[in-house]
Amino acid sequence: MMRRMFLAVSILIAAAACTQPPAPTAPEARPDPLPGTKLSVDQLNSQMFHVSAGKRLKGAWPNGARVAVGLSFDVDNATATLSTGNLDYEILSRGEYGAVDGLPRLLRMLDRQQVPASFFIPAASAVLHPKMITSIQSAKLPHEIGVHGWIHERLPLLNNEKEEQRLLDLSIETLTKMTGKRPVGYRAPSWKFSGWTMGQVKAAGFLYDSSLMASDDAYELLLDGTPTGMVELPIERILDDAPYFGSNADGSNPSLGDVYEVFQAEFDVAYEEGGLFLLTMHPHLMGHRSRAAMLEKLVQYMKGKPGVWFATHEQIANHVKPLIIAK
Ligand SMILES: [Zn+2]
């Protein structure tokens, strides 16, 4: 009886709760979902062109090549997960796969095909698996190692100028010590800049950045409308393995054939246009058996055409940089 009464009272309370109108939120506590509508054209200009595309850097490729191909691998492994304090070892081991099997398999493939690549490594990822650096360096190919944050920190989330500078300095210092060479290439974790990133990266003296996507061709980066002298080697979401393979393996991933088709079609047009074909990949994603085999098939397809220049991002940036001052 008591139990029935308790149940009835609970139902009444729940029903009353359902019919209560939602508590009003103070207007000042609600974030404005459309702040851009209130800005002047001057304010829009300063936001849009804080970091933007300057001169297009497109000229002839070396030795009469028709297209430049740059394969890049972001060696994140588990760092993005660790940066958030998530200690779910199922997810961490998915990242660890990059160091254990993914990277070695991709290095073997690059060696078989004799093509160089650029590896953007969060410095903490290199510290946790230092063997990765020696295996990249022991390949008899001019592979490049670039900066990709300390622990794959999302810079807009970090939202702290001093802390961002500390982590950038630490990343450069750590990779320089481990590789014996100061990196010349920068790729922001998750490609995300904060309001300070462009200024800090320019001040650090990088030759190029590869985090933005305003063009298919390389371009000079502008900071608040002023030429920086820095080369942008543009990335693209459709030329990245993460949007296709980065989700949970819940059966929704596209087939290898579909991804191959997009990559090949992008390459074919780059070849026609005398352009640039840059891929962003991750050893913990692309290093799986079937995917590495798909990538090898694509490399073989590209090698089958005359005039394809396979180069590191550093080589490509060095090649196009003189175009910044050319008339
Ligand atoms: Zn990354």
Side-chain angles (χ1 to χ4, degrees):
M1 183 62 178
M2 275 297 282
R3 191 177 143 76
R4 208 176 303 157
M5 258 181 70
F6 174 73
L7 205 69
V9 170
S10 305
I11 288 167
L12 273 173
I13 291 170
C18 288
T19 53
Q20 287 289 318
T25 318
E28 66 273 14
R30 244 180 292 145
D32 183 352
L34 293 170
T37 57
K38 293 164 193 72
L39 299 183
S40 69
V41 171
D42 278 352
Q43 288 169 318
L44 286 174
N45 258 302
S46 80
Q47 289 194 350
M48 177 66 230
F49 299 110
H50 170 56
V51 178
S52 64
K55 188 178 182 188
R56 183 183 299 274
L57 306 178
K58 188 177 185 184
W61 295 118
N63 305 314
R66 292 280 303 267
V67 65
V69 173
L71 305 179
S72 69
F73 296 94
D74 295 355
V75 192
D76 305 348
N77 299 344
T79 51
T81 311
L82 286 170
S83 76
T84 64
N86 182 350
L87 300 184
D88 177 337
Y89 283 86
E90 188 263 341
I91 299 175
L92 288 172
S93 69
R94 234 187 276 166
E96 190 182 17
Y97 182 89
V100 176
D101 273 352
L103 181 67
R105 177 173 291 116
L106 291 165
L107 285 170
R108 292 196 298 274
M109 186 280 282
L110 295 170
D111 189 54
R112 267 197 305 280
Q113 296 302 327
Q114 286 295 291
V115 294
S118 296
F119 296 86
F120 296 95
I121 312 183
S125 181
V127 171
L128 291 170
H129 292 99
K131 221 178 126 211
M132 296 194 305
I133 300 289
T134 43
S135 58
I136 291 168
Q137 289 191 318
S138 60
K140 289 186 188 65
L141 288 160
H143 294 323
E144 173 195 5
I145 290 174
V147 171
H148 195 42
W150 167 250
I151 190 162
H152 213 277
E153 57 280 6
R154 275 206 179 216
L155 299 173
L157 273 183
L158 185 71
N159 195 25
N160 181 322
E161 181 179 11
K162 248 178 101 182
E163 190 58 5
E164 180 174 342
Q165 185 69 63
R166 184 185 74 82
L167 293 171
L168 176 64
D169 293 345
L170 180 63
S171 308
I172 296 169
E173 188 191 313
T174 305
L175 287 184
T176 303
K177 236 182 247 167
M178 291 183 81
T179 65
K181 185 193 170 218
R182 188 181 167 94
V184 299
Y186 179 79
R187 175 169 287 164
S190 304
W191 299 337
K192 303 288 185 201
F193 276 22
S194 75
W196 303 290
T197 309
M198 185 67 243
Q200 292 186 0
V201 165
K202 177 180 152 49
F206 283 99
L207 165 69
Y208 73 91
D209 169 72
S210 183
S211 314
L212 305 172
M213 57 194 96
S215 175
D216 293 316
D217 295 315
Y219 56 89
E220 183 180 16
L221 282 160
L222 306 182
L223 175 57
D224 296 321
T226 306
T228 61
M230 257 183 81
V231 174
E232 176 60 41
L233 295 180
I235 44 75
E236 228 310 315
R237 282 164 196 277
I238 55 175
L239 292 170
D240 178 5
D241 60 359
Y244 305 110
F245 301 137
S247 60
N248 290 331
D250 60 0
S252 61
N253 288 344
S255 76
L256 288 173
D258 288 347
V259 179
Y260 180 90
E261 198 181 317
V262 176
F263 287 176
Q264 188 196 303
E266 283 284 323
F267 167 80
D268 285 342
V269 180
Y271 188 84
E272 283 307 309
E273 294 181 346
L276 182 58
F277 179 75
L278 302 178
L279 278 181
T280 303
M281 297 164 285
H282 303 76
H284 70 285
L285 300 176
M286 193 56 99
H288 283 281
R289 296 170 292 198
S290 53
R291 296 169 186 173
M294 180 271 278
L295 178 61
E296 184 160 21
K297 193 174 128 195
L298 180 70
V299 169
Q300 286 169 322
Y301 171 79
M302 296 189 287
K303 282 174 72 177
K305 298 226 171 199
V308 179
W309 180 41
F310 286 90
T312 62
H313 284 38
E314 180 178 359
Q315 290 169 322
I316 296 169
N318 272 321
H319 180 76
V320 299
K321 184 157 184 187
L323 295 171
I324 287 179
I325 46 165
K327 288 263 155 66

